[in-house]
Amino acid sequence: MSTGTPRAGARARVGVWLGRPLASFHLIVTVAALLTLLGLVMVLSSSAAEAYAADGSAYSLFTQQLIGVGLGVVAFYIALRMSVRFLRKISFPVFCLSIVLLMMVLIPGIGSEGADGARRWFNVAGVSFQPSELAKVALVLWGAHILASRRSEHASLKSLLIPLVPAALLMAGLIVLQPNLSTAIAVGIILVSLLWYAGLNARLFAIILGGGLAAATVLAFTAGYRSNRIKAWLNPGDDPQGLGYQSNQAKFSLADGGPFGVGLGQSRAKWSYLPNAHNDFIFAIIGEELGFIGCMAVLGLFALFVFTGLRIAMRSVDPFLRLLAAGSTTWIFAQAMINIGYVVGLLPVTGLQLPLVSYGGSSTAITLLMFGIIANAARHEPEAIAALHAGHDSRLDRVLRLPMPSSFSPMRAAAARSKSTRPALDGRARRSLEQRAGDARRPVRADAGVRAGRGGRVPSGGRQPEPSRRSARQPGMQRRHPDGRGYGR
C-alpha cells in the first residue's frame, strides 16, 4: 500500500462529511463552543492572581465572565430561532436604538466614567454593558438588509451608499467621542466588508478604504495615549520600562512558552508583570502556558471559522444572508487578527479583544449572539432546508427544538423591506420589479429552490449538489427567481 493512500482516504472522508447538508451548522456551533470553553479556562487562569489581589477572591473576574457566557448562550439560542424575515424587520429599529445608546453613554451621570475620562459603559446594579458592542451587530444587520434590498431593486450607486455610509460614519464618530478608536476601527471594517461583498466598484471602494485609513491615522496621532502606542510600536526598545513595557512583557511571555508551554496555570507574567493579561493580552498567556501548540490551535479555530462563515455565505441563496454571513465573518476574524497582531508585535496596540477568548461579559455575549445568527444562516442553506424538510434533522436540532427554516422567496423578501429603505425608482425599474413579482407568483417546480442563482459564485471545486428526489418533493421549496443575483465577491 502506498504512503499516499491513508492521506487520500482521510481527505475523502473529510470531503464526504463536508458534503452533508448540515455540516456548516455543526462546524459553526463547534467552533463557538471550543473558543468559549478555551476563553473560560484562560480567563480563570490569567485573572486569578489579579482578582485575588483586588477582591480577595481568585474567582471574581471569572464569575463575571461566566455570567457573560451564560447570557451569550441564551442569545445564541434566541438567534437560532429567529426567522430571516424577523431579522430584517428589526434591523433598522436595533440600529436606531444603538445610536441612541451611543449618545446616552456620553452624558455625564448616565454613562460611567472610566480611566482617562472615557465613557463607554452603562453600569446598572453592578452589571456593566458596552453599547458599542451592540452597535457592531446593529450595523452588520441593517447594512446587509439595506444593501440586499437595494441590489435587488437595481438601485443607483447613490442609493447604495446613502444612508448606509453616513449612518456608519455617525456611529463611528460617536464611538470615537467615548473615546474608543479600536471599536471605531471595527465599525469601519464592517462597513468596508459589506460594501466589498455587495460588489461596490473597485475604484470607489479603494477611495472609501483609503479615506478610512487616512482618518484612522489622523485620529491615532490626535490623542497622547494613541500616539504613544504608535511610538512604542515603531521603537519598542526606546522606553522598555515605560511606553514599550506592555508589548515587551507580552513577547517575553510568548518566548517563555516555547513549543509546549510551561503548563496550564503556571504563567509567571500574570503575577502583575503583564498588564491586562486576562483581557487584551490573553493570547500572550495562552502562548506562555500552552506554548506554540496552543497558539496554533487558536489560529486553527479562527481559520476554521473563516472557512465555515464564507462557505455559508457562498452557499446561501438569500442575498441578505450572503451579506450578513460574509460581513460578520470578516468582522470577527479581522478583530481576532488585529488582537493577535499587536500581541506578537506586528501591529500597534489598539485594545481590540480576542473574540470569545478575552475577558469581557458584554463582548462575549454579543459575539455569541453573532455566532448564533451565522449558525441560523447555515440552517438556511438550500441543501440544509431540503434535508430538514425531508426529516433528516440532526440530534442537535431535536434537542434544541429549532423551528423549520423556510426557503428564500423574492416575494417574502420584498415584503420584509421597510418603506424607508426603498429608493426612488424610475419607471423602467418599477416595471422590472412588477414583472419579477408577477413571475414569482407563477407555479414552480418543487426542487428548484435548492439550486444556486445564476449570478451567485460557487466555491472553487465544483457545483452545488442537487437534492435527492425525496427531499425535492417536500413542501415549501420554491424556485429562486432567475433575476436573483449573487453579488458576493
Side-chain angles (χ1 to χ4, degrees):
M1 182 180 294
S2 64
T3 57
T5 302
R7 295 181 181 179
R11 287 196 298 267
R13 287 191 294 272
V14 170
V16 170
W17 190 88
L18 289 176
R20 294 180 177 181
L22 293 171
S24 299
F25 172 70
H26 293 144
L27 280 174
I28 211 70
V29 172
T30 301
V31 170
L34 291 177
L35 285 175
T36 303
L37 290 175
L38 175 66
L40 285 174
V41 172
M42 296 311 304
V43 165
L44 176 60
S45 175
S46 60
S47 67
E50 180 178 340
Y52 185 80
D55 304 324
S57 172
Y59 301 99
S60 58
L61 293 176
F62 171 75
T63 302
Q64 297 179 23
Q65 181 72 2
L66 193 61
I67 293 174
V69 169
L71 295 175
V73 170
V74 174
F76 184 94
Y77 181 67
I78 293 175
L80 273 179
R81 298 188 62 86
M82 290 181 181
S83 66
V84 176
R85 181 175 182 179
F86 181 75
L87 284 173
R88 301 189 71 165
K89 185 177 180 180
I90 67 171
S91 61
F92 185 65
V94 171
F95 181 84
C96 293
L97 174 63
S98 67
I99 294 294
V100 172
L101 292 177
L102 288 175
M103 292 179 177
M104 291 178 61
V105 79
L106 298 174
I107 302 175
I110 298 179
S112 299
E113 185 174 350
D116 301 324
R119 295 186 180 275
R120 305 175 185 176
W121 298 272
F122 293 112
N123 283 327
V124 180
V127 178
S128 62
F129 171 71
Q130 199 168 356
S132 58
E133 295 294 333
L134 176 63
K136 292 185 286 188
V137 177
L139 179 60
V140 74
L141 274 175
W142 184 59
H145 167 62
I146 196 170
L147 287 175
S149 299
R150 297 193 172 182
R151 270 297 189 181
S152 64
E153 293 170 349
H154 302 287
S156 63
L157 178 62
K158 179 180 178 181
S159 298
L160 284 176
L161 299 181
I162 300 175
L164 177 59
V165 174
L169 293 178
L170 171 63
M171 176 180 285
L174 292 172
I175 295 174
V176 169
L177 292 176
Q178 294 180 358
N180 191 354
L181 181 59
S182 59
T183 305
I185 291 174
V187 168
I189 291 173
I190 293 172
L191 174 63
V192 169
S193 63
L194 286 174
L195 294 176
W196 172 260
Y197 292 117
L200 188 67
N201 179 273
R203 182 177 300 177
L204 184 58
F205 177 83
I207 294 174
I208 294 176
L209 181 60
L213 292 175
T217 303
V218 171
L219 290 172
F221 288 98
T222 53
Y225 74 95
R226 296 175 191 154
S227 59
N228 287 339
R229 289 176 176 179
I230 301 295
K231 294 176 183 177
W233 173 59
L234 294 176
N235 302 290
D238 286 355
D239 190 7
Q241 296 298 319
L243 298 180
Y245 177 78
Q246 192 175 27
S247 297
N248 288 333
Q249 290 297 323
K251 295 173 186 175
F252 294 156
S253 299
L254 292 169
D256 287 344
F260 304 104
V262 297
L264 186 62
Q266 302 302 313
S267 168
R268 293 182 289 270
K270 66 185 180 184
W271 293 90
S272 301
Y273 290 103
L274 176 61
N276 293 323
H278 61 289
N279 195 350
D280 298 344
F281 283 83
I282 197 170
F283 187 75
I285 304 300
I286 294 175
E288 184 179 7
E289 295 189 350
L290 304 181
F292 178 77
I293 300 299
C295 292
M296 291 305 298
V298 174
L299 290 173
L301 285 175
F302 280 106
L304 182 59
F305 166 68
V306 171
F307 166 78
T308 308
L310 295 183
R311 166 190 163 102
I312 293 169
M314 289 188 290
R315 291 163 67 95
S316 295
V317 178
D318 189 340
F320 168 71
L321 292 181
R322 281 179 177 240
L323 284 173
L324 182 59
S328 303
T329 301
T330 303
W331 149 39
I332 295 174
F333 178 72
Q335 182 170 323
M337 292 303 101
I338 291 174
N339 176 275
I340 295 174
Y342 70 68
V343 170
V344 301
L346 295 178
L347 295 172
V349 178
T350 60
L352 280 175
Q353 298 170 322
L354 189 60
L356 296 183
V357 181
S358 294
Y359 170 81
S362 57
S363 173
T364 300
I366 292 297
T367 306
L368 280 173
L369 170 66
M370 207 65 247
F371 267 80
I373 293 176
I374 298 173
N376 193 346
R379 297 182 75 246
H380 283 81
E381 291 181 1
E383 292 83 358
I385 294 176
L388 291 172
H389 278 274
H392 299 157
D393 54 340
S394 64
R395 182 179 302 176
L396 184 60
D397 282 81
R398 293 191 294 270
V399 170
L400 297 178
R401 298 179 180 270
L402 299 178
M404 195 69 66
S406 58
S407 58
F408 172 68
S409 166
M411 289 295 294
R412 285 197 298 267
R417 300 173 198 147
S418 64
K419 294 181 180 180
S420 62
T421 62
R422 294 185 180 183
L425 302 175
D426 55 21
R428 181 177 180 182
R430 187 177 294 106
R431 287 194 298 271
S432 175
L433 282 175
E434 293 172 353
Q435 181 181 0
R436 293 205 308 274
D439 291 343
R441 297 189 186 99
R442 298 174 184 172
V444 295
R445 293 212 322 259
D447 63 337
V450 298
R451 299 182 181 178
R454 293 180 181 177
R457 299 191 179 186
V458 179
S460 176
R463 301 162 48 192
Q464 298 193 16
E466 293 290 338
S468 65
R469 298 196 173 196
R470 180 182 177 187
S471 62
R473 290 196 294 267
Q474 300 306 313
M477 304 308 295
Q478 193 170 6
R479 180 193 298 268
R480 186 188 178 204
H481 192 272
D483 252 354
R485 300 185 178 184
Y487 37 83
R489 202 178 279 270

